Amino acid sequence: MRGARGAAATAPRRAPSPRHPSRTRSTNWAGWAFLAPVTIYLLAFYAYPMYRNIELSLRHYTVRSFVHGGAPFTGLENYRKILSDPAFGPALKHTLVFTGVSILCQFWIGMALAVFFSRNFRLSATLRALFLVPWLLPLIVSASTWSWMLNSDSGVVNHVLHGLGVAPVDWLTSPTWALASVTIANIWIGIPFNLVMLYSGIQAIPDDLYEAAELDGASAWQRFWKVTFPLLRPVAAITLLLGLVYTLKVFDIIWIMTKGGPAGSSATFATWSYQLGFGNLLPEFGPGAAVGNLLVVMALAFGLVYVRAQRKQREA
């Protein structure tokens, strides 16, 4: 009996049976089935258009070659052409000014509104819903409304200025005011997005921190800078990044209101790219695609800066 027990104790344990091959195979197929829709979507709507845009920028396409093929390869000639174009400098400046002013104003106005609505007073939810209206409207409706409001002759803005004794302003037809006009419209449209993102971030901050700061004698301004703003940094960073990428490619608002004019005074890379590719009787597909690729590079550069900053913040 003891010998049997000893033999049983010293006997090697049986190795666990390997998974059944058919079960492993079905698990793999299930994983690929879940990945297939997003993979197809990325390939069809991101990878292929990006490939075509790069290919367009490296060849000399005409209307005939665009339809029938046979466009000669020109390398970086289209990029050299747009970099030496007199319109490049103003378009770059307008893109940076339009993007920078829009992002800063949208963010800080959205921040102020988010802090204001975090008090949860009466009618707070109703007012928040009303502030979402610009975000919910189609962009063509918003841009058309601003075009009517800023009309030099019949616009409501000039009518108000006239009532205040101020001379009318040629908002959309003056090279001095055209870029400011489209920037104001874009700020108005982007405020609700910043409000929603930052308000949700504030709601996630524990009330105990505010109570402790208040007991320590911190004022409302100090509570914002010492509690709210530091804890909102992750949300603020992604809000700024998404707003930046969106604003870089804004086209419809500018095109509907000013078409990039007058005399290119409100033209950005987005409108310039469209005008090169589709706005002339003899379209320049290659240079237009090259300008579009510059926009992609700018957005990618800002995205990499964000990723690098986030990595340093996690390591700190």
Side-chain angles (χ1 to χ4, degrees):
M1 196 71 165
R2 286 181 181 178
R5 286 181 181 178
T10 57
R13 295 183 180 179
R14 293 181 58 187
S17 59
R19 287 187 175 183
H20 198 277
S22 62
R23 184 178 301 176
T24 304
R25 197 177 300 115
S26 63
T27 304
N28 292 336
W29 278 113
W32 282 111
F34 279 109
L35 285 175
V38 68
T39 304
I40 295 172
Y41 175 81
L42 290 174
L43 290 175
F45 295 101
Y46 285 89
Y48 179 72
M50 192 65 208
Y51 160 76
R52 286 290 294 156
N53 206 57
I54 294 174
E55 199 241 351
L56 274 173
S57 68
L58 298 177
R59 294 181 179 274
H60 177 65
Y61 272 94
T62 61
V63 176
R64 178 180 178 82
S65 60
F66 189 80
V67 176
H68 299 287
F73 181 79
T74 58
L76 300 177
E77 181 60 32
N78 289 320
Y79 292 93
R80 285 192 289 266
K81 184 176 181 179
I82 62 171
L83 290 174
S84 60
D85 195 306
F88 175 81
L92 175 61
K93 176 184 175 182
H94 298 157
T95 302
L96 295 177
V97 171
F98 176 79
T99 303
V101 174
S102 295
I103 291 299
L104 289 177
C105 292
Q106 289 171 356
F107 178 79
W108 286 112
I109 295 175
M111 175 72 79
L113 291 172
V115 173
F116 175 73
F117 284 120
S118 64
R119 300 175 181 177
N120 293 324
F121 54 90
R122 184 179 295 181
L123 298 180
S124 173
T126 304
L127 291 176
R128 285 203 315 272
L130 291 176
F131 269 101
L132 292 178
V133 171
W135 196 22
L136 300 176
L137 287 175
L139 290 177
I140 189 172
V141 174
S142 301
S144 300
T145 302
W146 275 98
S147 296
W148 169 74
M149 292 173 59
L150 297 176
N151 186 276
S152 302
D153 300 322
S154 58
V156 65
V157 175
N158 275 347
H159 181 74
V160 172
L161 292 178
H162 178 73
L164 297 174
V166 180
V169 178
D170 296 327
W171 295 100
L172 303 177
T173 57
S174 169
T176 306
W177 290 101
L179 183 61
S181 301
V182 296
T183 304
I184 291 171
N186 188 64
I187 291 171
W188 179 79
I189 292 171
I191 287 174
F193 170 75
N194 288 262
L195 168 61
V196 170
M197 294 288 289
L198 297 173
Y199 178 81
S200 63
I202 291 176
Q203 294 302 302
I205 299 176
D207 294 333
D208 299 344
L209 298 178
Y210 292 106
E211 294 174 0
E214 191 171 0
L215 289 174
D216 290 339
S219 63
W221 188 250
Q222 290 173 328
R223 290 197 298 270
F224 172 76
W225 283 111
K226 299 297 183 180
V227 179
T228 305
F229 192 71
L231 294 177
L232 269 183
R233 282 180 183 172
V235 177
I238 193 63
T239 302
L240 288 171
L241 177 64
L242 292 176
L244 179 68
V245 173
Y246 168 78
T247 308
L248 276 174
K249 64 182 183 64
V250 166
F251 163 77
D252 32 22
I253 298 170
I254 302 174
W255 191 258
I256 292 170
M257 294 181 65
T258 64
K259 288 185 169 58
S265 59
S266 61
T268 62
F269 276 177
T271 59
W272 188 32
S273 175
Y274 177 83
Q275 196 165 17
L276 286 171
F278 305 99
N280 301 315
L281 292 176
L282 295 175
E284 300 179 85
F285 297 115
V291 176
N293 288 333
L294 289 182
L295 272 178
V296 174
V297 171
M298 291 173 67
L300 181 62
F302 285 115
L304 292 176
V305 170
Y306 167 77
V307 171
R308 186 183 181 91
Q310 290 294 102
R311 185 178 300 171
K312 285 186 175 180
Q313 186 176 359
R314 285 195 299 266
E315 293 175 354

